[in-house]
Amino acid sequence: MTQYSKRMVIVHWLTLILLVAAWFLGESVHDLRKSEEGATLAGYIAHALVGGAVLLLTVVRLLFRSKDGVPAPLGNTLMDKVAKGIHHLMYLVLFLLPVSGMMQVLTSDVSKALLAGDASLLPQKFTGVPAHEVHEVLVTVLIVLVGLHILGALKHQFITKDGLMERMMLRRK
Ligand code: HEM
Ligand code: HEM
């Protein structure tokens, strides 16, 4: 096996698209809450649905991974081990980030506002909601991990030129 299975490849790139959408929606809800207009219920629902889809895809992905397996590592250098460690940490954050988002809704007035269908009940601040800080920190951690991951992919593509990208492509060799 020299490439990831087709379904692993599809879920990898779909996760990237959903993460960009979740990040954009999360930032918009945050900015709206701080503005004079205030956040909307639709904004929170859209963000939660896209973020929830990331969690679902991650669970499905780990199932696919255990069934389909993964291609053998290209090498066994320290950098290869670091890359593998980053993959595992990304899986952990892909799981914990949406869960912290759900905890944030459940432990704040966002859930009250959603149940009542009344945007005026939405919180203006998340004081005393630890999941809010955890969610923010995990967003930053994910950005750093994905940044390093992309740098690694670029290094393989343009410096080592060892065809690593083809392992995550639909085109079969
Ligand atoms: C991987 C998926 C997710 C990503 C990438 C993500 C990203 C973000 C980002 C970038 C913010 C703004 C942070 C800030 O600057 O304060 C945010 C806020 C938030 N997220 Fe998520 N999120 C995800 C999943 C979820 C889920 C599943 C839920 C709930 C079910 C959720 C609920 C929230 C809430 C309630 C806020 C606070 C918005 C505010 O400040 O008013 N998130 N998220
Ligand atoms: C432009 C963006 C991206 C590029 C170019 C890229 C590229 C790649 C490549 C080439 C691999 C295969 C590595 C190998 O065979 O050793 C890979 C694996 C992986 N990528 Fe990405 N990726 C990107 C974005 C992301 C994002 C946003 C995530 C999730 C946060 C992610 C998570 C992963 C994980 C967890 C693996 C390991 C798969 C496994 O072994 O189960 N990637 N990526």
mmCIF file with all atom_site columns, all heavy atoms in Angstrom, residues 4 8 12-13 16 19 61 65 70 87 90-91 146 149-150 164-165 167-168, ligand 2:
data_model
loop_
_atom_site.group_PDB
_atom_site.id
_atom_site.type_symbol
_atom_site.label_atom_id
_atom_site.label_alt_id
_atom_site.label_comp_id
_atom_site.label_asym_id
_atom_site.label_entity_id
_atom_site.label_seq_id
_atom_site.pdbx_PDB_ins_code
_atom_site.Cartn_x
_atom_site.Cartn_y
_atom_site.Cartn_z
_atom_site.occupancy
_atom_site.B_iso_or_equiv
_atom_site.pdbx_formal_charge
_atom_site.auth_seq_id
_atom_site.auth_comp_id
_atom_site.auth_asym_id
_atom_site.auth_atom_id
_atom_site.pdbx_PDB_model_num
ATOM   1   N  N   . TYR A 1 4   ? -3.111  6.463  0.672  1.00 0.00 ? 4   TYR A N   1
ATOM   2   C  CA  . TYR A 1 4   ? -4.268  6.323  1.567  1.00 0.00 ? 4   TYR A CA  1
ATOM   3   C  C   . TYR A 1 4   ? -5.458  5.863  0.732  1.00 0.00 ? 4   TYR A C   1
ATOM   4   O  O   . TYR A 1 4   ? -5.518  6.146  -0.475 1.00 0.00 ? 4   TYR A O   1
ATOM   5   C  CB  . TYR A 1 4   ? -4.585  7.674  2.221  1.00 0.00 ? 4   TYR A CB  1
ATOM   6   C  CG  . TYR A 1 4   ? -3.634  8.023  3.345  1.00 0.00 ? 4   TYR A CG  1
ATOM   7   C  CD1 . TYR A 1 4   ? -2.468  8.730  3.099  1.00 0.00 ? 4   TYR A CD1 1
ATOM   8   C  CD2 . TYR A 1 4   ? -3.887  7.609  4.643  1.00 0.00 ? 4   TYR A CD2 1
ATOM   9   C  CE1 . TYR A 1 4   ? -1.578  9.029  4.119  1.00 0.00 ? 4   TYR A CE1 1
ATOM   10  C  CE2 . TYR A 1 4   ? -3.006  7.903  5.677  1.00 0.00 ? 4   TYR A CE2 1
ATOM   11  C  CZ  . TYR A 1 4   ? -1.857  8.616  5.411  1.00 0.00 ? 4   TYR A CZ  1
ATOM   12  O  OH  . TYR A 1 4   ? -0.985  8.897  6.426  1.00 0.00 ? 4   TYR A OH  1
ATOM   13  N  N   . MET A 1 8   ? -10.357 7.658  2.730  1.00 0.00 ? 8   MET A N   1
ATOM   14  C  CA  . MET A 1 8   ? -9.532  8.436  3.667  1.00 0.00 ? 8   MET A CA  1
ATOM   15  C  C   . MET A 1 8   ? -9.146  9.778  3.022  1.00 0.00 ? 8   MET A C   1
ATOM   16  O  O   . MET A 1 8   ? -9.105  10.815 3.682  1.00 0.00 ? 8   MET A O   1
ATOM   17  C  CB  . MET A 1 8   ? -8.250  7.668  4.023  1.00 0.00 ? 8   MET A CB  1
ATOM   18  C  CG  . MET A 1 8   ? -8.406  6.568  5.056  1.00 0.00 ? 8   MET A CG  1
ATOM   19  S  SD  . MET A 1 8   ? -8.724  7.192  6.705  1.00 0.00 ? 8   MET A SD  1
ATOM   20  C  CE  . MET A 1 8   ? -7.088  7.736  7.212  1.00 0.00 ? 8   MET A CE  1
ATOM   21  N  N   . HIS A 1 12  ? -10.147 13.465 4.361  1.00 0.00 ? 12  HIS A N   1
ATOM   22  C  CA  . HIS A 1 12  ? -9.059  14.406 4.683  1.00 0.00 ? 12  HIS A CA  1
ATOM   23  C  C   . HIS A 1 12  ? -9.349  15.788 4.101  1.00 0.00 ? 12  HIS A C   1
ATOM   24  O  O   . HIS A 1 12  ? -9.311  16.798 4.791  1.00 0.00 ? 12  HIS A O   1
ATOM   25  C  CB  . HIS A 1 12  ? -7.728  13.862 4.153  1.00 0.00 ? 12  HIS A CB  1
ATOM   26  C  CG  . HIS A 1 12  ? -6.563  14.800 4.318  1.00 0.00 ? 12  HIS A CG  1
ATOM   27  N  ND1 . HIS A 1 12  ? -6.199  15.710 3.358  1.00 0.00 ? 12  HIS A ND1 1
ATOM   28  C  CD2 . HIS A 1 12  ? -5.680  14.985 5.335  1.00 0.00 ? 12  HIS A CD2 1
ATOM   29  C  CE1 . HIS A 1 12  ? -5.145  16.388 3.777  1.00 0.00 ? 12  HIS A CE1 1
ATOM   30  N  NE2 . HIS A 1 12  ? -4.799  15.976 4.970  1.00 0.00 ? 12  HIS A NE2 1
ATOM   31  N  N   . TRP A 1 13  ? -9.703  15.826 2.790  1.00 0.00 ? 13  TRP A N   1
ATOM   32  C  CA  . TRP A 1 13  ? -9.907  17.136 2.139  1.00 0.00 ? 13  TRP A CA  1
ATOM   33  C  C   . TRP A 1 13  ? -11.241 17.759 2.520  1.00 0.00 ? 13  TRP A C   1
ATOM   34  O  O   . TRP A 1 13  ? -11.344 18.989 2.628  1.00 0.00 ? 13  TRP A O   1
ATOM   35  C  CB  . TRP A 1 13  ? -9.738  17.005 0.617  1.00 0.00 ? 13  TRP A CB  1
ATOM   36  C  CG  . TRP A 1 13  ? -8.325  16.597 0.273  1.00 0.00 ? 13  TRP A CG  1
ATOM   37  C  CD1 . TRP A 1 13  ? -7.923  15.420 -0.275 1.00 0.00 ? 13  TRP A CD1 1
ATOM   38  C  CD2 . TRP A 1 13  ? -7.100  17.353 0.499  1.00 0.00 ? 13  TRP A CD2 1
ATOM   39  N  NE1 . TRP A 1 13  ? -6.554  15.388 -0.408 1.00 0.00 ? 13  TRP A NE1 1
ATOM   40  C  CE2 . TRP A 1 13  ? -6.023  16.554 0.052  1.00 0.00 ? 13  TRP A CE2 1
ATOM   41  C  CE3 . TRP A 1 13  ? -6.829  18.599 1.040  1.00 0.00 ? 13  TRP A CE3 1
ATOM   42  C  CZ2 . TRP A 1 13  ? -4.691  16.986 0.133  1.00 0.00 ? 13  TRP A CZ2 1
ATOM   43  C  CZ3 . TRP A 1 13  ? -5.501  19.021 1.121  1.00 0.00 ? 13  TRP A CZ3 1
ATOM   44  C  CH2 . TRP A 1 13  ? -4.466  18.225 0.668  1.00 0.00 ? 13  TRP A CH2 1
ATOM   45  N  N   . LEU A 1 16  ? -10.757 19.553 5.737  1.00 0.00 ? 16  LEU A N   1
ATOM   46  C  CA  . LEU A 1 16  ? -10.110 20.857 5.541  1.00 0.00 ? 16  LEU A CA  1
ATOM   47  C  C   . LEU A 1 16  ? -11.162 21.921 5.189  1.00 0.00 ? 16  LEU A C   1
ATOM   48  O  O   . LEU A 1 16  ? -11.192 23.005 5.779  1.00 0.00 ? 16  LEU A O   1
ATOM   49  C  CB  . LEU A 1 16  ? -9.048  20.752 4.433  1.00 0.00 ? 16  LEU A CB  1
ATOM   50  C  CG  . LEU A 1 16  ? -8.483  22.075 3.912  1.00 0.00 ? 16  LEU A CG  1
ATOM   51  C  CD1 . LEU A 1 16  ? -7.697  22.816 4.976  1.00 0.00 ? 16  LEU A CD1 1
ATOM   52  C  CD2 . LEU A 1 16  ? -7.589  21.856 2.694  1.00 0.00 ? 16  LEU A CD2 1
ATOM   53  N  N   . LEU A 1 19  ? -13.357 22.698 8.166  1.00 0.00 ? 19  LEU A N   1
ATOM   54  C  CA  . LEU A 1 19  ? -12.635 23.464 9.194  1.00 0.00 ? 19  LEU A CA  1
ATOM   55  C  C   . LEU A 1 19  ? -12.569 24.944 8.828  1.00 0.00 ? 19  LEU A C   1
ATOM   56  O  O   . LEU A 1 19  ? -12.739 25.808 9.690  1.00 0.00 ? 19  LEU A O   1
ATOM   57  C  CB  . LEU A 1 19  ? -11.212 22.926 9.362  1.00 0.00 ? 19  LEU A CB  1
ATOM   58  C  CG  . LEU A 1 19  ? -11.029 21.716 10.270 1.00 0.00 ? 19  LEU A CG  1
ATOM   59  C  CD1 . LEU A 1 19  ? -9.570  21.313 10.318 1.00 0.00 ? 19  LEU A CD1 1
ATOM   60  C  CD2 . LEU A 1 19  ? -11.550 21.997 11.672 1.00 0.00 ? 19  LEU A CD2 1
ATOM   61  N  N   . ARG A 1 61  ? -13.584 8.831  10.140 1.00 0.00 ? 61  ARG A N   1
ATOM   62  C  CA  . ARG A 1 61  ? -12.225 8.723  9.611  1.00 0.00 ? 61  ARG A CA  1
ATOM   63  C  C   . ARG A 1 61  ? -11.381 7.724  10.396 1.00 0.00 ? 61  ARG A C   1
ATOM   64  O  O   . ARG A 1 61  ? -10.626 6.948  9.822  1.00 0.00 ? 61  ARG A O   1
ATOM   65  C  CB  . ARG A 1 61  ? -11.597 10.124 9.688  1.00 0.00 ? 61  ARG A CB  1
ATOM   66  C  CG  . ARG A 1 61  ? -10.227 10.245 9.108  1.00 0.00 ? 61  ARG A CG  1
ATOM   67  C  CD  . ARG A 1 61  ? -9.901  11.706 9.046  1.00 0.00 ? 61  ARG A CD  1
ATOM   68  N  NE  . ARG A 1 61  ? -8.566  11.966 8.616  1.00 0.00 ? 61  ARG A NE  1
ATOM   69  C  CZ  . ARG A 1 61  ? -8.071  13.192 8.489  1.00 0.00 ? 61  ARG A CZ  1
ATOM   70  N  NH1 . ARG A 1 61  ? -8.825  14.234 8.761  1.00 0.00 ? 61  ARG A NH1 1
ATOM   71  N  NH2 . ARG A 1 61  ? -6.845  13.378 8.084  1.00 0.00 ? 61  ARG A NH2 1
ATOM   72  N  N   . ARG A 1 65  ? -9.727  4.432  9.043  1.00 0.00 ? 65  ARG A N   1
ATOM   73  C  CA  . ARG A 1 65  ? -8.275  4.251  9.232  1.00 0.00 ? 65  ARG A CA  1
ATOM   74  C  C   . ARG A 1 65  ? -7.987  2.858  9.790  1.00 0.00 ? 65  ARG A C   1
ATOM   75  O  O   . ARG A 1 65  ? -7.069  2.183  9.350  1.00 0.00 ? 65  ARG A O   1
ATOM   76  C  CB  . ARG A 1 65  ? -7.771  5.328  10.191 1.00 0.00 ? 65  ARG A CB  1
ATOM   77  C  CG  . ARG A 1 65  ? -6.273  5.477  10.236 1.00 0.00 ? 65  ARG A CG  1
ATOM   78  C  CD  . ARG A 1 65  ? -5.895  6.577  11.223 1.00 0.00 ? 65  ARG A CD  1
ATOM   79  N  NE  . ARG A 1 65  ? -4.540  7.041  11.000 1.00 0.00 ? 65  ARG A NE  1
ATOM   80  C  CZ  . ARG A 1 65  ? -3.470  6.494  11.536 1.00 0.00 ? 65  ARG A CZ  1
ATOM   81  N  NH1 . ARG A 1 65  ? -3.591  5.459  12.318 1.00 0.00 ? 65  ARG A NH1 1
ATOM   82  N  NH2 . ARG A 1 65  ? -2.278  6.993  11.268 1.00 0.00 ? 65  ARG A NH2 1
ATOM   83  N  N   . VAL A 1 70  ? -2.907  2.402  6.841  1.00 0.00 ? 70  VAL A N   1
ATOM   84  C  CA  . VAL A 1 70  ? -2.239  3.592  6.303  1.00 0.00 ? 70  VAL A CA  1
ATOM   85  C  C   . VAL A 1 70  ? -0.967  3.142  5.581  1.00 0.00 ? 70  VAL A C   1
ATOM   86  O  O   . VAL A 1 70  ? -0.394  2.109  5.920  1.00 0.00 ? 70  VAL A O   1
ATOM   87  C  CB  . VAL A 1 70  ? -1.863  4.605  7.422  1.00 0.00 ? 70  VAL A CB  1
ATOM   88  C  CG1 . VAL A 1 70  ? -3.085  5.209  8.058  1.00 0.00 ? 70  VAL A CG1 1
ATOM   89  C  CG2 . VAL A 1 70  ? -0.983  3.985  8.479  1.00 0.00 ? 70  VAL A CG2 1
ATOM   90  N  N   . HIS A 1 87  ? 0.289   14.352 13.397 1.00 0.00 ? 87  HIS A N   1
ATOM   91  C  CA  . HIS A 1 87  ? -0.948  13.704 12.911 1.00 0.00 ? 87  HIS A CA  1
ATOM   92  C  C   . HIS A 1 87  ? -1.813  13.273 14.093 1.00 0.00 ? 87  HIS A C   1
ATOM   93  O  O   . HIS A 1 87  ? -3.010  13.537 14.127 1.00 0.00 ? 87  HIS A O   1
ATOM   94  C  CB  . HIS A 1 87  ? -0.634  12.460 12.073 1.00 0.00 ? 87  HIS A CB  1
ATOM   95  C  CG  . HIS A 1 87  ? 0.014   12.760 10.756 1.00 0.00 ? 87  HIS A CG  1
ATOM   96  N  ND1 . HIS A 1 87  ? 0.675   11.812 10.020 1.00 0.00 ? 87  HIS A ND1 1
ATOM   97  C  CD2 . HIS A 1 87  ? 0.116   13.907 10.052 1.00 0.00 ? 87  HIS A CD2 1
ATOM   98  C  CE1 . HIS A 1 87  ? 1.144   12.352 8.908  1.00 0.00 ? 87  HIS A CE1 1
ATOM   99  N  NE2 . HIS A 1 87  ? 0.824   13.634 8.908  1.00 0.00 ? 87  HIS A NE2 1
ATOM   100 N  N   . MET A 1 90  ? -3.313  16.182 15.865 1.00 0.00 ? 90  MET A N   1
ATOM   101 C  CA  . MET A 1 90  ? -4.418  16.780 15.088 1.00 0.00 ? 90  MET A CA  1
ATOM   102 C  C   . MET A 1 90  ? -5.698  15.972 15.284 1.00 0.00 ? 90  MET A C   1
ATOM   103 O  O   . MET A 1 90  ? -6.774  16.544 15.448 1.00 0.00 ? 90  MET A O   1
ATOM   104 C  CB  . MET A 1 90  ? -4.054  16.876 13.603 1.00 0.00 ? 90  MET A CB  1
ATOM   105 C  CG  . MET A 1 90  ? -3.098  18.016 13.303 1.00 0.00 ? 90  MET A CG  1
ATOM   106 S  SD  . MET A 1 90  ? -2.979  18.433 11.558 1.00 0.00 ? 90  MET A SD  1
ATOM   107 C  CE  . MET A 1 90  ? -2.173  16.995 10.913 1.00 0.00 ? 90  MET A CE  1
ATOM   108 N  N   . TYR A 1 91  ? -5.572  14.643 15.284 1.00 0.00 ? 91  TYR A N   1
ATOM   109 C  CA  . TYR A 1 91  ? -6.771  13.819 15.530 1.00 0.00 ? 91  TYR A CA  1
ATOM   110 C  C   . TYR A 1 91  ? -7.372  14.142 16.900 1.00 0.00 ? 91  TYR A C   1
ATOM   111 O  O   . TYR A 1 91  ? -8.582  14.268 17.039 1.00 0.00 ? 91  TYR A O   1
ATOM   112 C  CB  . TYR A 1 91  ? -6.432  12.324 15.468 1.00 0.00 ? 91  TYR A CB  1
ATOM   113 C  CG  . TYR A 1 91  ? -6.351  11.773 14.054 1.00 0.00 ? 91  TYR A CG  1
ATOM   114 C  CD1 . TYR A 1 91  ? -5.272  11.010 13.632 1.00 0.00 ? 91  TYR A CD1 1
ATOM   115 C  CD2 . TYR A 1 91  ? -7.373  12.014 13.139 1.00 0.00 ? 91  TYR A CD2 1
ATOM   116 C  CE1 . TYR A 1 91  ? -5.208  10.497 12.338 1.00 0.00 ? 91  TYR A CE1 1
ATOM   117 C  CE2 . TYR A 1 91  ? -7.311  11.517 11.842 1.00 0.00 ? 91  TYR A CE2 1
ATOM   118 C  CZ  . TYR A 1 91  ? -6.235  10.758 11.451 1.00 0.00 ? 91  TYR A CZ  1
ATOM   119 O  OH  . TYR A 1 91  ? -6.167  10.267 10.181 1.00 0.00 ? 91  TYR A OH  1
ATOM   120 N  N   . VAL A 1 146 ? -1.831  22.614 12.172 1.00 0.00 ? 146 VAL A N   1
ATOM   121 C  CA  . VAL A 1 146 ? -2.098  22.540 10.722 1.00 0.00 ? 146 VAL A CA  1
ATOM   122 C  C   . VAL A 1 146 ? -1.030  23.338 9.964  1.00 0.00 ? 146 VAL A C   1
ATOM   123 O  O   . VAL A 1 146 ? -0.564  22.908 8.903  1.00 0.00 ? 146 VAL A O   1
ATOM   124 C  CB  . VAL A 1 146 ? -3.533  23.044 10.404 1.00 0.00 ? 146 VAL A CB  1
ATOM   125 C  CG1 . VAL A 1 146 ? -3.728  23.175 8.898  1.00 0.00 ? 146 VAL A CG1 1
ATOM   126 C  CG2 . VAL A 1 146 ? -4.573  22.090 10.974 1.00 0.00 ? 146 VAL A CG2 1
ATOM   127 N  N   . HIS A 1 149 ? 1.950   21.189 9.741  1.00 0.00 ? 149 HIS A N   1
ATOM   128 C  CA  . HIS A 1 149 ? 1.613   20.079 8.836  1.00 0.00 ? 149 HIS A CA  1
ATOM   129 C  C   . HIS A 1 149 ? 1.739   20.549 7.366  1.00 0.00 ? 149 HIS A C   1
ATOM   130 O  O   . HIS A 1 149 ? 2.330   19.851 6.531  1.00 0.00 ? 149 HIS A O   1
ATOM   131 C  CB  . HIS A 1 149 ? 0.189   19.649 9.179  1.00 0.00 ? 149 HIS A CB  1
ATOM   132 C  CG  . HIS A 1 149 ? -0.384  18.549 8.351  1.00 0.00 ? 149 HIS A CG  1
ATOM   133 N  ND1 . HIS A 1 149 ? 0.148   17.287 8.317  1.00 0.00 ? 149 HIS A ND1 1
ATOM   134 C  CD2 . HIS A 1 149 ? -1.476  18.516 7.522  1.00 0.00 ? 149 HIS A CD2 1
ATOM   135 C  CE1 . HIS A 1 149 ? -0.592  16.523 7.516  1.00 0.00 ? 149 HIS A CE1 1
ATOM   136 N  NE2 . HIS A 1 149 ? -1.570  17.250 7.015  1.00 0.00 ? 149 HIS A NE2 1
ATOM   137 N  N   . ILE A 1 150 ? 1.212   21.736 7.087  1.00 0.00 ? 150 ILE A N   1
ATOM   138 C  CA  . ILE A 1 150 ? 1.271   22.252 5.709  1.00 0.00 ? 150 ILE A CA  1
ATOM   139 C  C   . ILE A 1 150 ? 2.724   22.557 5.333  1.00 0.00 ? 150 ILE A C   1
ATOM   140 O  O   . ILE A 1 150 ? 3.172   22.248 4.210  1.00 0.00 ? 150 ILE A O   1
ATOM   141 C  CB  . ILE A 1 150 ? 0.364   23.502 5.548  1.00 0.00 ? 150 ILE A CB  1
ATOM   142 C  CG1 . ILE A 1 150 ? -1.099  23.083 5.730  1.00 0.00 ? 150 ILE A CG1 1
ATOM   143 C  CG2 . ILE A 1 150 ? 0.565   24.155 4.175  1.00 0.00 ? 150 ILE A CG2 1
ATOM   144 C  CD1 . ILE A 1 150 ? -2.102  24.215 5.674  1.00 0.00 ? 150 ILE A CD1 1
ATOM   145 N  N   . LEU A 1 164 ? 5.297   12.682 -1.700 1.00 0.00 ? 164 LEU A N   1
ATOM   146 C  CA  . LEU A 1 164 ? 4.439   12.401 -0.535 1.00 0.00 ? 164 LEU A CA  1
ATOM   147 C  C   . LEU A 1 164 ? 2.982   12.824 -0.775 1.00 0.00 ? 164 LEU A C   1
ATOM   148 O  O   . LEU A 1 164 ? 2.056   12.130 -0.372 1.00 0.00 ? 164 LEU A O   1
ATOM   149 C  CB  . LEU A 1 164 ? 4.992   13.116 0.709  1.00 0.00 ? 164 LEU A CB  1
ATOM   150 C  CG  . LEU A 1 164 ? 4.195   12.834 1.976  1.00 0.00 ? 164 LEU A CG  1
ATOM   151 C  CD1 . LEU A 1 164 ? 4.801   11.688 2.758  1.00 0.00 ? 164 LEU A CD1 1
ATOM   152 C  CD2 . LEU A 1 164 ? 4.081   14.044 2.869  1.00 0.00 ? 164 LEU A CD2 1
ATOM   153 N  N   . MET A 1 165 ? 2.803   13.964 -1.467 1.00 0.00 ? 165 MET A N   1
ATOM   154 C  CA  . MET A 1 165 ? 1.444   14.478 -1.700 1.00 0.00 ? 165 MET A CA  1
ATOM   155 C  C   . MET A 1 165 ? 0.563   13.452 -2.415 1.00 0.00 ? 165 MET A C   1
ATOM   156 O  O   . MET A 1 165 ? -0.645  13.398 -2.191 1.00 0.00 ? 165 MET A O   1
ATOM   157 C  CB  . MET A 1 165 ? 1.494   15.764 -2.541 1.00 0.00 ? 165 MET A CB  1
ATOM   158 C  CG  . MET A 1 165 ? 1.772   17.030 -1.774 1.00 0.00 ? 165 MET A CG  1
ATOM   159 S  SD  . MET A 1 165 ? 0.625   17.345 -0.434 1.00 0.00 ? 165 MET A SD  1
ATOM   160 C  CE  . MET A 1 165 ? -0.823  17.753 -1.356 1.00 0.00 ? 165 MET A CE  1
ATOM   161 N  N   . ARG A 1 167 ? 0.274   10.466 -1.921 1.00 0.00 ? 167 ARG A N   1
ATOM   162 C  CA  . ARG A 1 167 ? -0.334  9.527  -0.981 1.00 0.00 ? 167 ARG A CA  1
ATOM   163 C  C   . ARG A 1 167 ? -1.710  10.015 -0.540 1.00 0.00 ? 167 ARG A C   1
ATOM   164 O  O   . ARG A 1 167 ? -2.558  9.219  -0.134 1.00 0.00 ? 167 ARG A O   1
ATOM   165 C  CB  . ARG A 1 167 ? 0.568   9.368  0.253  1.00 0.00 ? 167 ARG A CB  1
ATOM   166 C  CG  . ARG A 1 167 ? 1.834   8.587  -0.030 1.00 0.00 ? 167 ARG A CG  1
ATOM   167 C  CD  . ARG A 1 167 ? 2.973   9.022  0.859  1.00 0.00 ? 167 ARG A CD  1
ATOM   168 N  NE  . ARG A 1 167 ? 2.832   8.743  2.268  1.00 0.00 ? 167 ARG A NE  1
ATOM   169 C  CZ  . ARG A 1 167 ? 3.320   7.649  2.879  1.00 0.00 ? 167 ARG A CZ  1
ATOM   170 N  NH1 . ARG A 1 167 ? 3.980   6.761  2.192  1.00 0.00 ? 167 ARG A NH1 1
ATOM   171 N  NH2 . ARG A 1 167 ? 3.192   7.498  4.157  1.00 0.00 ? 167 ARG A NH2 1
ATOM   172 N  N   . MET A 1 168 ? -1.939  11.340 -0.583 1.00 0.00 ? 168 MET A N   1
ATOM   173 C  CA  . MET A 1 168 ? -3.214  11.915 -0.146 1.00 0.00 ? 168 MET A CA  1
ATOM   174 C  C   . MET A 1 168 ? -4.009  12.433 -1.352 1.00 0.00 ? 168 MET A C   1
ATOM   175 O  O   . MET A 1 168 ? -4.736  13.405 -1.251 1.00 0.00 ? 168 MET A O   1
ATOM   176 C  CB  . MET A 1 168 ? -2.896  13.023 0.850  1.00 0.00 ? 168 MET A CB  1
ATOM   177 C  CG  . MET A 1 168 ? -3.885  13.283 1.967  1.00 0.00 ? 168 MET A CG  1
ATOM   178 S  SD  . MET A 1 168 ? -4.844  11.911 2.513  1.00 0.00 ? 168 MET A SD  1
ATOM   179 C  CE  . MET A 1 168 ? -4.322  11.709 4.202  1.00 0.00 ? 168 MET A CE  1
HETATM 180 C  C1  . HEM B 2 .   ? -3.349  22.440 2.479  1.00 0.00 ? 2   HEM B C1  1
HETATM 181 C  C2  . HEM B 2 .   ? -3.569  21.675 3.499  1.00 0.00 ? 2   HEM B C2  1
HETATM 182 C  C3  . HEM B 2 .   ? -3.077  20.257 3.683  1.00 0.00 ? 2   HEM B C3  1
HETATM 183 C  C4  . HEM B 2 .   ? -2.163  19.513 2.979  1.00 0.00 ? 2   HEM B C4  1
HETATM 184 C  C5  . HEM B 2 .   ? -1.337  19.945 1.782  1.00 0.00 ? 2   HEM B C5  1
HETATM 185 C  C6  . HEM B 2 .   ? -2.105  18.206 3.594  1.00 0.00 ? 2   HEM B C6  1
HETATM 186 C  C7  . HEM B 2 .   ? -1.335  17.128 3.161  1.00 0.00 ? 2   HEM B C7  1
HETATM 187 C  C8  . HEM B 2 .   ? -1.293  15.896 3.743  1.00 0.00 ? 2   HEM B C8  1
HETATM 188 C  C9  . HEM B 2 .   ? -0.504  14.778 3.248  1.00 0.00 ? 2   HEM B C9  1
HETATM 189 C  C10 . HEM B 2 .   ? 0.371   14.791 2.019  1.00 0.00 ? 2   HEM B C10 1
HETATM 190 C  C11 . HEM B 2 .   ? -0.680  13.745 4.105  1.00 0.00 ? 2   HEM B C11 1
HETATM 191 C  C12 . HEM B 2 .   ? -0.041  12.354 4.018  1.00 0.00 ? 2   HEM B C12 1
HETATM 192 C  C13 . HEM B 2 .   ? 1.156   12.315 4.937  1.00 0.00 ? 2   HEM B C13 1
HETATM 193 C  C14 . HEM B 2 .   ? 1.855   10.983 4.933  1.00 0.00 ? 2   HEM B C14 1
HETATM 194 O  O1  . HEM B 2 .   ? 1.555   10.142 4.114  1.00 0.00 ? 2   HEM B O1  1
HETATM 195 O  O2  . HEM B 2 .   ? 2.730   10.794 5.792  1.00 0.00 ? 2   HEM B O2  1
HETATM 196 C  C15 . HEM B 2 .   ? -1.569  14.188 5.148  1.00 0.00 ? 2   HEM B C15 1
HETATM 197 C  C16 . HEM B 2 .   ? -1.977  13.418 6.219  1.00 0.00 ? 2   HEM B C16 1
HETATM 198 C  C17 . HEM B 2 .   ? -2.755  13.888 7.244  1.00 0.00 ? 2   HEM B C17 1
HETATM 199 N  N1  . HEM B 2 .   ? -3.371  15.118 7.309  1.00 0.00 ? 2   HEM B N1  1
HETATM 200 FE FE1 . HEM B 2 .   ? -3.179  16.622 5.991  1.00 0.00 ? 2   HEM B FE1 1
HETATM 201 N  N2  . HEM B 2 .   ? -2.968  18.186 4.672  1.00 0.00 ? 2   HEM B N2  1
HETATM 202 C  C18 . HEM B 2 .   ? -3.586  19.417 4.750  1.00 0.00 ? 2   HEM B C18 1
HETATM 203 C  C19 . HEM B 2 .   ? -4.524  19.802 5.671  1.00 0.00 ? 2   HEM B C19 1
HETATM 204 C  C20 . HEM B 2 .   ? -4.888  19.064 6.769  1.00 0.00 ? 2   HEM B C20 1
HETATM 205 C  C21 . HEM B 2 .   ? -5.818  19.491 7.781  1.00 0.00 ? 2   HEM B C21 1
HETATM 206 C  C22 . HEM B 2 .   ? -6.564  20.828 7.800  1.00 0.00 ? 2   HEM B C22 1
HETATM 207 C  C23 . HEM B 2 .   ? -5.905  18.476 8.678  1.00 0.00 ? 2   HEM B C23 1
HETATM 208 C  C24 . HEM B 2 .   ? -6.734  18.406 9.935  1.00 0.00 ? 2   HEM B C24 1
HETATM 209 C  C25 . HEM B 2 .   ? -6.667  19.189 10.908 1.00 0.00 ? 2   HEM B C25 1
HETATM 210 C  C26 . HEM B 2 .   ? -5.021  17.414 8.251  1.00 0.00 ? 2   HEM B C26 1
HETATM 211 C  C27 . HEM B 2 .   ? -4.815  16.245 8.931  1.00 0.00 ? 2   HEM B C27 1
HETATM 212 C  C28 . HEM B 2 .   ? -4.050  15.193 8.500  1.00 0.00 ? 2   HEM B C28 1
HETATM 213 C  C29 . HEM B 2 .   ? -3.857  13.959 9.250  1.00 0.00 ? 2   HEM B C29 1
HETATM 214 C  C30 . HEM B 2 .   ? -4.458  13.648 10.628 1.00 0.00 ? 2   HEM B C30 1
HETATM 215 C  C31 . HEM B 2 .   ? -3.049  13.140 8.461  1.00 0.00 ? 2   HEM B C31 1
HETATM 216 C  C32 . HEM B 2 .   ? -2.566  11.735 8.806  1.00 0.00 ? 2   HEM B C32 1
HETATM 217 C  C33 . HEM B 2 .   ? -3.474  10.721 8.186  1.00 0.00 ? 2   HEM B C33 1
HETATM 218 C  C34 . HEM B 2 .   ? -3.323  9.368  8.871  1.00 0.00 ? 2   HEM B C34 1
HETATM 219 O  O3  . HEM B 2 .   ? -2.238  8.800  8.852  1.00 0.00 ? 2   HEM B O3  1
HETATM 220 O  O4  . HEM B 2 .   ? -4.338  8.928  9.419  1.00 0.00 ? 2   HEM B O4  1
HETATM 221 N  N3  . HEM B 2 .   ? -4.423  17.797 7.069  1.00 0.00 ? 2   HEM B N3  1
HETATM 222 N  N4  . HEM B 2 .   ? -1.926  15.505 4.904  1.00 0.00 ? 2   HEM B N4  1
#
